[in-house]
């Protein structure tokens, strides 16, 4: 066993090859024979060699990808991350997560830090920076933006079809006999456009108009407390809604708590639907009707597109995932 950090020279001695040959194998360079690949890989495994990231950066690639999260408490984001890491599992790429916060300035600081550390590319999940700021980041490193409608030539985008998702919910509730359907959305203070909750709210409005119904949108925060406070306000009305469509499951959980505290029965007195189909939504005691936008597919698609960008594709791609409605026990016909 060697002491201290294992070097490329140690690997070369163990494999009986030159350091240049080891370097070629590590970089995945063209022209390496299968025999050479096997000898060097065996030596690397035996010695536990890890290429130094800074040295790899000098050669043009670090095989690290940054994922910027806008909200570490969002229970939907782990599905996206699982999709990213699952897609990259058989590659050399390693994924590093960075909490960017919900403000444009903190997100910009995080993306700058990732670029400064020579990451090969970035996946930005629901960034609230402006289009111009995103384009500027994409000039410095390959970028895939998740959860931002509109797209741009400078980077790739992966989005859920949020208009369709909202329509699925409204069509379902109207089909059950509801006419007073309120949508709880997120109160956005950033300058960004095309964020998912904005598109969902517009999809809800379009669907309500298509059914000849008046829309009713309440802006709060996509947190359990935000859903709770918003629902309390709605349920205090004389003409309270018979159904509430929350734009995120976490807010829908707050709606369910408010209904319980108000002594209302779900779904008999109030139907509740959410969006994201997070794991807790399927628990028997919750059984939340929700839109599944398949976060793992979104993450896997983002990873694939980013690697393609890194490897030289310049044409921008926008990929849209089609959602499905998972009907459970929180929605039913209104009381007559």
């Amino acid at each position: 066993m060697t002491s201290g950090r294992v070097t490329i020279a140690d690997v070369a001695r163990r494999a009986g090859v030159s350091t240049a040959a080891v370097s070629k194998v590590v970089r995945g360079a063209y022209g390496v024979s299968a025999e050479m690949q096997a000898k060097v890989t065996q030596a690397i495994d035996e010695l536990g060699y890890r290429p130094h990231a800074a040295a790899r950066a000098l050669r043009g690639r670090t095989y690290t990808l940054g994922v910027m999260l806008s909200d570490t408490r969002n229970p939907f984001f782990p599905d996206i991350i699982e999709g990213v890491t699952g897609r990259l599992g058989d590659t050399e790429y390693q994924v590093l997560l960075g909490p960017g916060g919900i403000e444009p300035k903190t997100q910009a600081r995080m993306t700058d830090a990732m670029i400064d550390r020579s990451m090969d590319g970035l996946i930005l999940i629901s960034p609230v920076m402006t289009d111009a700021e995103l384009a500027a980041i994409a000039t410095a490193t390959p970028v895939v933006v998740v959860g931002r409608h509109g797209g741009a030539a400078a980077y790739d985008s992966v989005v859920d079809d949020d208009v369709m998702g909202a329509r699925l919910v409204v069509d379902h509730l109207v089909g059950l006999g509801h006419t007073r359907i309120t949508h709880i959305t997120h109160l956005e203070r950033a300058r960004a456009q095309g964020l998912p909750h904005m598109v969902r709210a517009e999809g809800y409005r379009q669907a309500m108009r298509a059914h000849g119904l008046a829309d009713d949108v309440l802006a709060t925060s996509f947190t359990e407390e935000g859903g709770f406070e918003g629902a309390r306000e709605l349920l205090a009305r004389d003409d309270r809604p018979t159904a509430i469509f929350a734009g995120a499951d976490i807010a829908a959980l707050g709606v369910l708590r408010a209904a319980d505290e108000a002594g209302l029965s779900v779904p008999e007195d109030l139907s509740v639907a959410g969006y994201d189909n997070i794991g807790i939504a399927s628990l028997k005691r919750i059984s939340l009707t929700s839109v599944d936008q398949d976060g793992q597919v979104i993450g896997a698609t983002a990873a694939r597109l980013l690697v393609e960008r890194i490897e030289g594709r310049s044409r921008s791609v926008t990929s849209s995932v089609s959602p499905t409605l998972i009907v459970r026990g929180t929605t039913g016909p209104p009381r007559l």
Side-chain angles (χ1 to χ4, degrees), residues 235 240 256-266 269 335:
L235 297 178
R240 64 175 176 82
L256 292 174
R257 179 158 63 95
D260 183 62
E261 290 196 7
L264 298 177
S265 176
V266 175
D269 297 317
R335 282 194 195 275

Side-chain angles (χ1 to χ4, degrees), residues 2-314:
T2 59
S3 60
R5 185 181 180 93
V6 178
T7 68
I8 194 170
D10 297 326
V11 175
R13 281 192 294 270
R14 175 64 67 93
V17 300
S18 68
T19 55
V22 175
S23 178
K24 282 186 176 182
V25 172
V26 169
R27 289 185 289 113
Y30 177 77
V32 176
S33 68
E35 181 183 3
M36 180 74 71
Q37 176 84 34
K39 289 167 64 175
V40 172
T41 299
Q42 181 178 347
I44 286 172
D45 291 342
E46 290 173 352
L47 296 175
Y49 172 67
R50 291 190 303 113
H52 193 275
R56 296 179 82 169
L58 292 175
R59 295 193 296 270
R61 194 175 293 190
T62 63
Y63 290 93
T64 57
L65 305 178
V67 177
M68 192 279 292
L69 304 170
S70 59
D71 183 358
T72 55
R73 297 171 299 177
N74 189 319
F76 174 63
F77 286 175
D79 290 345
I80 299 176
I81 295 167
E82 282 189 16
V84 171
T85 56
R87 177 75 187 196
L88 299 172
D90 294 331
T91 73
E92 288 192 78
Y93 288 103
Q94 296 296 317
V95 176
L96 300 181
L97 305 180
I102 60 174
E103 297 295 332
K105 286 185 178 179
T106 58
Q107 291 188 6
R109 270 203 303 271
M110 177 54 66
T111 54
D112 285 345
M114 289 177 167
I115 292 170
D116 290 344
R117 283 157 179 78
S118 301
M119 294 187 183
D120 294 333
L122 304 180
I123 295 174
L124 309 180
I125 301 179
S126 293
V128 296
M129 292 170 280
T130 64
D131 292 342
E133 289 167 334
L134 289 176
I137 294 168
T139 62
T141 190
V143 168
V144 175
V145 174
V146 172
R148 185 72 174 265
H149 294 264
Y155 53 82
D156 297 333
S157 302
V158 184
V159 294
D160 172 61
D161 189 339
D162 291 297
V163 171
M164 176 191 288
R167 187 173 70 241
L168 290 173
V169 175
V170 173
D171 289 351
H172 168 64
L173 293 172
V174 172
L176 291 171
H178 293 277
T179 57
R180 297 199 306 277
I181 305 167
T182 298
H183 177 57
I184 290 181
T185 189
H186 181 67
L187 180 61
E188 186 58 62
R189 295 182 176 87
R191 297 168 293 166
Q193 298 297 315
L195 294 170
H197 63 272
M198 297 176 176
V199 178
R200 270 169 222 165
E202 181 55 31
Y204 157 81
R205 292 186 180 96
Q206 291 177 14
M208 291 292 281
R209 287 197 298 267
H211 286 286
L213 300 173
D215 62 75
D216 181 22
V217 177
L218 176 69
T220 178
S221 65
F222 275 174
T223 61
E224 184 177 343
E225 194 61 28
F228 174 74
E229 292 297 338
R232 284 185 63 186
E233 177 182 334
L234 295 172
L235 297 178
R237 295 177 180 175
D238 291 335
D239 60 342
R240 64 175 176 82
T242 61
I244 295 178
F245 163 34
D249 283 351
I250 190 66
L253 296 179
V255 174
L256 292 174
R257 179 158 63 95
D260 183 62
E261 290 196 7
L264 298 177
S265 176
V266 175
E268 292 80 8
D269 297 317
L270 178 71
S271 281
V272 180
Y275 209 107
D276 289 337
N277 195 32
I278 60 176
I280 197 174
S282 64
L283 294 181
K284 186 175 180 181
R285 294 189 63 180
I286 296 176
S287 191
L288 177 66
T289 292
S290 182
V291 175
D292 187 347
Q293 52 178 323
D294 206 333
Q296 292 201 22
V297 168
I298 289 174
T301 303
R304 173 178 61 80
L305 292 177
L306 185 57
V307 171
E308 289 176 2
R309 274 276 184 179
I310 292 168
E311 292 180 349
R313 175 175 51 76
S314 58

